[in-house]
Amino acid sequence: MNVFTHFREAIDALLNELSASGDLPADLDTKNIAVEPPRDASHGDIATNVALVLSKQAQRKPRDIADMVAPKLEALETVESVEIAGPGFINMRLSASFWQAQVKTILDAGVNYGASTMGGGEKVNVEYVSANPTGPMHVGHVRGAVFGDALANLLLKAGYDVTKEYYINDAGSQIDTLARSAHLRYQEAFGRDIGEIPEGLYPGDYLVPVGHMLKEKYGEEYLDADESEWLAQFKVDASSAMMDLIRDDLKALGVEHDVFFSERSLHESGRIPEAVQVLRDRGHIYEGVLEPPKGKKPEDWEEREQTLFRATDFGDDVDRPLQKSSGEFTYFAADIAYHHDKYVRGYKQMIDVLGADHGGYVKRMQAAVKALSEDGELDVRLCQMVKLFRDGEPFKMSKRSGNFITLREVVDEVGCDVTRFIMLTRKNDAHLDFDFKKVMEQSKDNPVFYVQYAHARICSVLGKGKDAFADLDITDASLAGADLARLSDENELAMIRQCAAWPRLLESAAEAHEPHRIAFFLYDLASEFHTFWNKGNDNPGLRFIIEDDKALTRARMALVRAVALVIASGLGVLGVTPMEEMR
């Protein structure tokens, strides 16, 4: 249950009563009423601006409306007290019994606690990674891969119908370069000395196995053949081999896509001119001459008529060319066709996760999506680079790839869980430092350890509770029947409040497309648990297991199990394993 949605519904109900009695006008617009935690926790559990929002419509002072609403809220069984603050804010303090009941709610729901129907099954396409299929994943792809995957998981849990998509850039000149590089390794597989890899080709030894694969597949057929005979086939074979490598790297990071969409298919199917024609039919294309680029004018600049998209009509800075002088379509035209294809497939909501160097791409693609449809929406999330450190010093790992640090090297050293969690400890557009030593530390300063340790500690507590009381049933169904009224200590109630904030946090994070909020929430919840644990060391009465009080022990087993379920629910969104024991 989302506590704040629950009380928003209660406020709607009492407003209907006040309208029916004539104390307030009918047909009030209530969409801007907020029900949320107060900025200062000392003011209570829930705050609402209902009186301020309705003041103008009702032609009443906010305080007068608050005076009408507050008594009705205080009459609710679950509300302990109500206070009107400032110009008309209403703060509520909820009863201990209300918070205690949330433990049973969590135990009944299990790891599905927090799942929402907010998305209403709306289809959302999340496209992320989309690295050129010319080699293994490098460290620069890690953050976007984790962010995109966690965002997709978050939207799925919030009730959206999510597709995880990878766009394969397999139609550009880089694929020609890949094929030529693979042909060199093909020659090498026959024992030929290929010398230094020529500049402009891919030097990484990850292409050595590709050369042997081509040898097995074709024998000597293309060893001395003209490039025109093998280039097209080698492009397909080499890019396919690279995609197998990329899929394997992503799987090591816990990332698996639903759809792999080939750019080459756009060119071969004729969908690029089709999408351009859609824009033309809508009146968004014209023949014209662009102004020269700002700053230094390129030597080869020439004023010539081009096919241009009226991007400035939709918020872009300049109009954009769709065809080169040769008649060939621009990369931008292919991108338009790709997003048009998404829209045709039923995705009105599209999210692209890109590197920070794609900042210039955002306005033009959002303009294109607006022009292509009346109800399509594109959100582009840019991920800043990750800087690698060891002991605070910049660090570079081995370069078996030829010219970059691989994703696999990072995952192999610190593990999938650590990599994923740490990548989500900053907002996507903020720089992130990744220190190999610090991310493996077993301390409060290492958030992934701190959260996983909380879950492992809870598993240990449950086991010890079973040891202390042989007949204690620690299944969720049984613990839900514990005497939860025994959970009266303020630290216990603080843990429950934090757990009960999870559904609202999940919805707000999904709405904002910000999965890093989950990592922050989990750290705060883990902190509440560890704080209570430490107080039990000083005060035996606050320990989870009270040997002469089975009822209190059972209630606390229910509480910590609820905390574990919320942690597991959040970690599931991040794609991180909830540990049962730390090694």
Side-chain angles (χ1 to χ4, degrees):
M1 178 181 74
N2 185 325
V3 171
F4 300 92
T5 301
H6 171 76
F7 280 95
R8 170 58 199 270
E9 291 170 354
I11 288 172
D12 285 342
L14 67 87
L15 289 178
N16 288 335
E17 290 178 17
L18 289 169
S19 293
S21 65
D23 292 311
L24 286 176
D27 301 322
L28 290 169
D29 182 358
T30 62
K31 67 177 181 294
N32 291 323
I33 294 175
V35 178
E36 56 194 7
R39 293 181 180 179
D40 185 341
S42 67
H43 293 166
D45 299 314
I46 290 180
T48 179
N49 63 350
V50 56
L52 285 82
V53 169
L54 300 184
S55 174
K56 187 174 182 179
Q57 298 179 62
Q59 296 183 335
R60 304 280 293 273
K61 293 179 181 179
R63 193 86 184 188
D64 292 342
I65 296 176
D67 285 337
M68 283 191 290
V69 172
K72 290 185 174 293
L73 287 172
E74 198 161 18
L76 296 175
E77 183 180 354
T78 53
V79 176
E80 185 176 272
S81 64
V82 176
E83 181 182 273
I84 301 172
F89 286 103
I90 299 175
N91 296 321
M92 291 177 277
R93 196 174 301 278
L94 306 182
S95 66
S97 61
F98 174 84
W99 293 118
Q100 291 155 354
Q102 302 313 303
V103 174
K104 182 180 187 307
T105 299
I106 296 168
L107 292 170
D108 287 343
V111 292
N112 287 326
Y113 180 69
S116 171
T117 59
M118 179 182 77
E122 183 178 358
K123 293 180 67 173
V124 182
N125 183 290
V126 184
E127 183 224 321
Y128 57 107
V129 186
S130 301
N132 290 340
T134 55
M137 305 291 295
H138 61 71
V139 70
H141 295 122
V142 177
R143 194 173 186 187
V146 172
F147 174 83
D149 204 54
L151 176 56
N153 294 341
L154 173 60
L155 292 170
L156 187 64
K157 190 141 188 166
Y160 292 89
D161 180 2
V162 181
T163 295
K164 302 177 179 182
E165 186 151 319
Y166 186 117
Y167 183 55
I168 307 173
N169 298 108
D170 55 358
S173 60
Q174 76 278 1
I175 303 300
D176 292 343
T177 301
L178 174 67
R180 294 183 181 111
S181 304
H183 190 267
L184 268 183
R185 297 299 188 177
Y186 167 63
Q187 297 176 57
E188 186 181 46
F190 282 96
R192 291 188 177 180
D193 182 5
I194 61 173
E196 290 290 323
I197 303 295
E199 187 175 351
L201 297 186
Y202 298 120
D205 60 12
Y206 58 83
L207 285 172
V208 171
V210 178
H212 285 280
M213 177 272 290
L214 294 169
K215 176 186 176 183
E216 289 295 317
K217 185 172 183 177
Y218 298 113
E220 298 182 3
E221 182 177 355
Y222 298 122
L223 198 56
D224 297 305
D226 187 79
E227 180 180 287
S228 61
E229 297 180 43
W230 53 259
L231 184 64
Q233 187 58 53
F234 274 37
K235 284 165 64 174
V236 174
D237 291 334
S239 59
S240 177
M242 290 302 96
M243 283 308 303
D244 288 342
L245 181 61
I246 287 171
R247 285 187 182 94
D248 191 51
D249 285 350
L250 288 172
K251 190 173 182 180
L253 190 59
V255 175
E256 295 188 52
H257 290 81
D258 302 313
V259 174
F260 287 84
F261 190 101
S262 165
E263 180 188 357
R264 187 175 67 244
S265 71
L266 289 174
H267 293 266
E268 294 175 349
S269 65
R271 275 174 283 183
I272 297 177
E274 288 176 9
V276 171
Q277 188 60 45
V278 171
L279 292 176
R280 192 182 298 279
D281 292 343
R282 288 172 173 255
H284 303 320
I285 288 180
Y286 68 101
E287 303 300 318
V289 177
L290 286 177
E291 294 291 324
K294 294 180 180 179
K296 187 177 180 180
K297 193 173 183 178
E299 292 182 5
D300 61 350
W301 172 260
E302 59 175 315
E303 291 188 0
R304 57 184 177 80
E305 192 173 77
Q306 295 176 280
T307 299
L308 303 173
F309 163 51
R310 299 182 190 275
T312 52
D313 287 354
F314 300 93
D316 199 2
D317 300 323
V318 296
D319 290 343
R320 304 287 179 176
L322 298 180
Q323 281 183 289
K324 303 175 183 178
S325 57
S326 63
E328 182 183 358
F329 287 105
T330 62
Y331 286 121
F332 179 48
D335 288 337
I336 289 174
Y338 174 46
H339 286 79
H340 182 247
D341 185 88
K342 288 182 186 180
Y343 183 77
V344 170
R345 282 186 276 147
Y347 299 107
K348 295 180 181 179
Q349 273 208 55
M350 310 170 213
I351 303 171
D352 291 356
V353 180
L354 303 171
D357 57 338
H358 287 75
Y361 172 94
V362 178
K363 285 186 177 180
R364 71 186 68 177
M365 273 318 309
Q366 289 178 332
V369 170
K370 289 177 185 176
L372 285 165
S373 65
E374 294 180 357
D375 53 359
E377 184 177 340
L378 172 65
D379 181 23
V380 181
R381 294 280 151 166
L382 301 178
C383 291
Q384 285 289 347
M385 287 292 292
V386 177
K387 294 182 180 179
L388 300 180
F389 294 85
R390 193 184 294 280
D391 292 326
E393 296 295 324
F395 177 67
K396 292 188 177 182
M397 304 175 77
S398 61
K399 295 185 178 179
R400 71 172 185 85
S401 59
N403 59 358
F404 52 78
I405 303 162
T406 66
L407 174 155
R408 198 59 176 266
E409 287 175 297
V410 176
V411 174
D412 287 348
E413 176 159 349
V414 304
C416 172
D417 286 342
V418 170
T419 303
R420 288 185 68 109
F421 197 104
I422 296 299
M423 291 294 160
L424 295 165
T425 54
R426 294 287 185 277
K427 190 176 179 181
N428 58 284
D429 58 1
H431 288 280
L432 187 148
D433 294 342
F434 189 99
D435 190 305
F436 284 90
K437 184 177 180 180
K438 288 183 178 180
V439 301
M440 297 300 288
E441 285 180 354
Q442 296 191 351
S443 73
K444 182 179 180 179
D445 294 331
N446 179 3
V448 61
F449 168 78
Y450 199 57
V451 172
Q452 287 187 319
Y453 187 36
H455 191 275
R457 261 185 166 176
I458 291 171
C459 291
S460 175
V461 167
L462 292 169
K464 289 178 179 178
K466 183 69 175 174
D467 292 340
F469 299 94
D471 61 342
L472 180 63
D473 186 346
I474 57 173
T475 62
D476 293 347
S478 176
L479 291 176
D483 182 6
L484 300 175
R486 298 295 301 275
L487 302 173
S488 57
D489 183 84
E490 183 52 41
N491 292 278
E492 293 170 328
L493 294 173
M495 273 196 288
I496 298 172
R497 289 189 190 97
Q498 185 71 11
C499 287
W502 169 231
R504 177 180 182 272
L505 186 283
L506 182 135
E507 289 186 349
S508 62
E511 189 173 26
H513 297 171
E514 293 184 346
H516 73 278
R517 296 189 189 187
I518 309 300
F520 291 0
F521 169 85
L522 292 176
Y523 185 87
D524 290 342
L525 177 57
S527 182
E528 291 282 1
F529 169 79
H530 289 304
T531 296
F532 192 84
W533 172 286
N534 292 331
K535 288 190 175 183
N537 290 332
D538 300 326
N539 182 351
L542 292 180
R543 291 176 182 171
F544 295 113
I545 300 170
I546 308 297
E547 294 184 358
D548 61 353
D549 193 336
K550 182 180 176 182
L552 179 55
T553 299
R554 188 169 178 236
R556 287 182 176 164
M557 294 297 102
L559 170 58
V560 297
R561 176 57 181 160
V563 174
L565 286 168
V566 174
I567 290 175
S569 180
L571 289 177
V573 172
L574 303 186
V576 176
T577 307
M579 303 296 289
E580 296 189 3
E581 60 179 330
M582 302 299 287
R583 297 183 178 87

